[in-house]
Amino acid sequence: MKSSNLKAHLALLFAASMWGLMAPVGKAAMEAGISGLALANMRMIGGALCFWITSLFVKKEDVPPRDLMLLFFASMLGIVCNQGCYTFGLSLTSPVDASIMTTTMPIVTMILAAIFLKEPVTPLKVGGILMGSVGALALILSNTGGSDREGSVLGDVLCVMAQVSFACYLTIFKKLISKYSVFTLMKWMFSYAAICFIPFSYRDFSEMQFSAISFDVWMEIGYVILFGTYIAYILMLVGQKTLRPTVVSMYNYMQPVVGSSVAILMGMSSFGWVKAIAAISIFAGVYLVTQSKSRAEMIKEEAASKQ
């Protein structure tokens, strides 16, 4: 594996790990009185501030008006719809249901990549996605317990919409993302997202009693902003610049692995043969998708065979 590919895979692995803790940590903050809309807005505003502050210490890039407009639409799909729908959906449904909904992204991404990027839908790619989804679902369902409240249809639909919007973002804006640095992209995208989301969350945000928020809840909010947003998005873009959208989306299946591992370490769950087989299935699925040939590779092989 090339060093750039290895770096991209490691970045996505760590990003998926941070996002894997988002459901339980975010849910804990909401159960403490933070509304889904308010948490999503705090995440966007906090992300924008972090990226703008960081951009002051890195090389400045000029972004032409046309690309600024494209970044606006990218932020609508990649941040506003994705984070807004997921966070609000999580407030309505259970963490288990929300985790199950995340397994739809690789399938949607594969379909969109075939339509927009003309990426081939190979048997290896389909097999890898199916193997990963079966493993992810087995892990999630093995962790179900009576402590989680019932899910809701609306909450589940919103979580699916979040996955679809992010899959569209990964596919449609692949070329734009490769053009600029992580900090240039994210400072504009999170700024647009925060501005657009404020009208929807202003009421919930303004009614918050900040003095009544406990230290533990502030720590949970801090995790959502710093690790689940700032660092995770940096790592995700590092991977996205090098790897195909379908490969990037496959790391969604790592989220239930992280959730299960944390539950085991905290004594909230046990490690059994079901979890072992499910984890192996997920890793094997990711490997199969990374080994599937891209459109460029197929064209290159076809040209070589004709010579």
Side-chain angles (χ1 to χ4, degrees):
M1 185 182 293
K2 295 179 181 179
S3 60
S4 60
N5 282 356
L6 178 60
K7 179 182 176 182
H9 283 292
L10 288 174
L12 289 174
L13 180 62
F14 283 112
S17 300
M18 292 174 188
W19 280 327
L21 292 175
M22 281 290 294
V25 173
K27 191 67 176 179
M30 292 178 203
E31 289 177 348
I34 307 297
S35 74
L37 289 174
L39 183 61
N41 199 196
M42 291 169 77
R43 188 182 181 191
M44 293 175 194
I45 293 172
L49 288 173
C50 288
F51 283 111
W52 271 101
I53 291 171
T54 308
S55 70
L56 298 175
F57 301 96
V58 297
K59 184 180 178 181
K60 185 179 178 181
E61 293 180 302
D62 291 324
V63 184
R66 180 180 179 277
D67 285 354
L68 284 175
M69 182 180 68
L70 290 175
L71 285 174
F72 170 80
F73 291 110
S75 72
M76 293 301 100
L77 288 175
I79 300 177
V80 175
C81 292
N82 174 249
Q83 291 188 12
C85 288
Y86 182 78
T87 308
F88 190 49
L90 181 60
S91 71
L92 299 175
T93 191
S94 68
V96 171
D97 278 23
S99 297
I100 290 174
M101 295 306 108
T102 64
T103 64
T104 60
M105 188 193 288
I107 299 170
V108 176
T109 304
M110 180 180 67
I111 295 170
L112 292 173
I115 295 172
F116 292 101
L117 302 179
K118 307 302 180 185
E119 283 290 335
V121 180
T122 63
L124 201 62
K125 190 180 292 182
V126 173
I129 287 175
L130 289 177
M131 186 177 290
S133 64
V134 169
L137 288 171
L139 261 182
I140 294 163
L141 295 175
S142 70
N143 284 331
T144 56
S147 60
D148 287 325
R149 69 178 182 83
E150 294 296 321
S152 75
V153 175
L154 178 58
D156 291 349
V157 169
L158 286 170
C159 288
V160 171
M161 288 175 62
Q163 305 311 310
V164 172
S165 69
F166 199 75
C168 291
Y169 160 72
L170 284 176
T171 307
I172 297 171
F173 295 100
K174 168 70 176 172
K175 291 182 179 179
L176 178 68
I177 289 161
S178 302
K179 232 174 134 175
Y180 301 103
S181 72
V182 171
F183 303 108
T184 299
L185 289 167
M186 290 293 100
K187 74 178 183 181
W188 287 111
M189 287 178 62
F190 270 93
S191 296
Y192 286 139
I195 292 169
C196 291
F197 204 74
I198 285 174
F200 299 99
S201 61
Y202 177 76
R203 182 175 177 181
D204 286 24
F205 199 73
S206 62
E207 291 176 353
M208 285 178 60
Q209 300 294 325
F210 290 96
S211 59
I213 299 175
S214 67
F215 176 77
D216 289 344
V217 176
W218 277 119
M219 290 295 289
E220 290 161 358
I221 294 171
Y223 175 86
V224 169
I225 294 172
L226 184 60
F227 293 97
T229 303
Y230 176 66
I231 296 177
Y233 267 83
I234 291 174
L235 294 173
M236 187 272 294
L237 273 173
V238 170
Q240 192 179 353
K241 283 177 177 291
T242 304
L243 303 174
R244 287 170 284 151
T246 311
V247 176
V248 175
S249 66
M250 278 297 292
Y251 277 89
N252 246 38
Y253 290 150
M254 292 302 300
Q255 295 184 28
V257 174
V258 174
S260 296
S261 301
V262 171
I264 291 167
L265 290 173
M266 295 179 66
M268 299 164 61
S269 182
S270 59
F271 186 80
W273 65 270
V274 174
K275 287 184 173 65
I277 294 174
I280 291 170
S281 178
I282 290 171
F283 284 113
V286 172
Y287 176 77
L288 286 177
V289 172
T290 60
Q291 296 304 302
S292 65
K293 293 178 181 178
S294 65
R295 179 176 176 237
E297 290 171 335
M298 286 189 167
I299 292 173
K300 186 177 180 180
E301 286 185 2
E302 185 179 346
S305 65
K306 290 179 180 179
Q307 290 179 353

